[in-house]
Amino acid sequence: MSDFNSKLNSNFGYLFETELLEEIEKVGTYKTVSKNEIIIDIEDYINAMPLLLNGAIKILREDEKGDELVLYYLEKGDTCAITLSCCMGQTKSKIRAVAETDVSLIMLPKEKMTAWLSTYKSWQSFILQSYHNRVEELLQAVDTIAFLKMDERLFKYLKDKAMVNSNDELTTTHKQISDDLHTSRVVVSRLLKKLENDGKIKLFRNSIKVLEL
């Protein structure tokens, strides 16, 4: 069994019919992406939809000044409903997808998307559930921005990042965090020190350990 076939069955064998798995293996393109590499950029025309086999992907929005804001993360077994929407509507991408870790994925050609919706019940259920999950995550992102204080936003961000990386010690910089949260590095540095004093994190030279998950 190939690595592609093994990972496909491991992640989606319990979800999809055998016939659909065979189609995915036939038309899908197996791809590996290095950490921090852009997978889909804003204004790209999307010709394929990703199925994530391993690792995590960060989904971001960008304002008119070029500043970014993290919306949510995709983990193994996920797909991006916004990508699917762009595929079906033949519109340009409104998000940027960046590899949070080294990832492996399958890129599926967009012409198969609607065909499989009417052919395979498991695919239809998977896509509907994906839409539901992404909407929930977008609502959480809105709630976080609207209702949480910045120190609470920062701590939630660190916990989410630790979860998708499966590691409570994060290798990151204050500048990277401030970019993701759309705030200043000075604010991030001050609040990280506050979180450390509260016993929630431990700061090191080039990393942050999350003590409360």
Side-chain angles (χ1 to χ4, degrees):
M1 182 181 289
S2 68
D3 189 43
F4 178 177
N5 184 275
S6 175
K7 288 182 178 179
L8 175 61
N9 278 277
S10 174
N11 284 281
F12 299 101
Y14 69 99
L15 283 176
F16 300 151
E17 299 97 328
T18 300
E19 294 79 8
L20 176 54
L21 291 169
E22 290 172 351
E23 281 212 55
I24 290 173
E25 188 173 6
K26 185 185 301 181
V27 304
T29 301
Y30 179 67
K31 184 177 180 180
T32 58
V33 184
S34 299
K35 180 179 179 179
N36 295 325
E37 186 177 339
I38 294 175
I39 301 168
I40 298 169
D41 210 351
I42 295 166
E43 294 296 300
D44 281 351
Y45 278 108
I46 298 174
N47 297 311
M49 189 187 83
L51 289 180
L52 189 54
L53 297 174
N54 195 49
I57 297 173
K58 180 168 58 178
I59 305 298
L60 307 124
R61 278 282 284 166
E62 185 180 80
D63 68 12
E64 65 277 1
K65 297 178 182 178
D67 294 326
E68 296 176 332
L69 176 68
V70 173
L71 296 179
Y72 54 81
Y73 292 95
L74 301 176
E75 300 177 80
K76 67 176 182 178
D78 284 341
T79 189
C80 183
I82 294 177
T83 301
L84 176 64
S85 178
C86 292
C87 282
M88 296 175 69
Q90 297 184 339
T91 59
K92 292 181 180 180
S93 173
K94 295 177 174 59
I95 54 92
R96 176 174 292 124
V98 180
E100 171 72 13
T101 65
D102 291 342
V103 303
S104 59
L105 47 82
I106 305 170
M107 299 302 291
L108 298 174
K110 68 178 183 180
E111 56 267 19
K112 290 293 183 179
M113 302 301 98
T114 51
W116 288 350
L117 284 173
S118 58
T119 305
Y120 299 107
K121 288 185 177 180
S122 64
W123 180 256
Q124 184 182 81
S125 297
F126 174 68
I127 294 302
L128 290 174
Q129 186 62 48
S130 296
Y131 268 114
H132 172 76
N133 292 342
R134 300 297 85 80
V135 168
E136 286 288 317
E137 287 163 340
L138 284 172
L139 289 174
Q140 286 180 18
V142 171
D143 287 348
T144 297
I145 295 167
F147 304 125
L148 294 186
K149 295 185 294 184
M150 181 53 75
D151 61 331
E152 295 172 323
R153 281 184 62 197
L154 174 58
F155 188 48
K156 182 180 185 302
Y157 164 87
L158 294 173
K159 290 194 295 182
D160 289 347
K161 196 174 181 72
M163 183 184 67
V164 300
N165 281 273
S166 300
N167 191 343
D168 61 5
E169 188 162 336
L170 305 171
T171 303
T172 187
T173 66
H174 295 194
K175 177 65 165 60
Q176 289 171 329
I177 296 171
S178 66
D179 288 345
D180 282 352
L181 292 178
H182 206 327
T183 189
S184 73
R185 186 182 61 79
V186 173
V187 168
V188 166
S189 297
R190 175 172 57 82
L191 292 178
L192 285 173
K193 193 63 182 175
K194 178 181 182 298
L195 289 174
E196 183 177 46
N197 291 337
D198 290 342
K200 295 182 176 180
I201 64 171
K202 179 67 177 175
L203 297 175
F204 298 97
R205 182 175 177 83
N206 294 307
S207 65
I208 300 169
K209 185 176 180 64
V210 182
L211 302 177
E212 292 184 14
L213 290 175

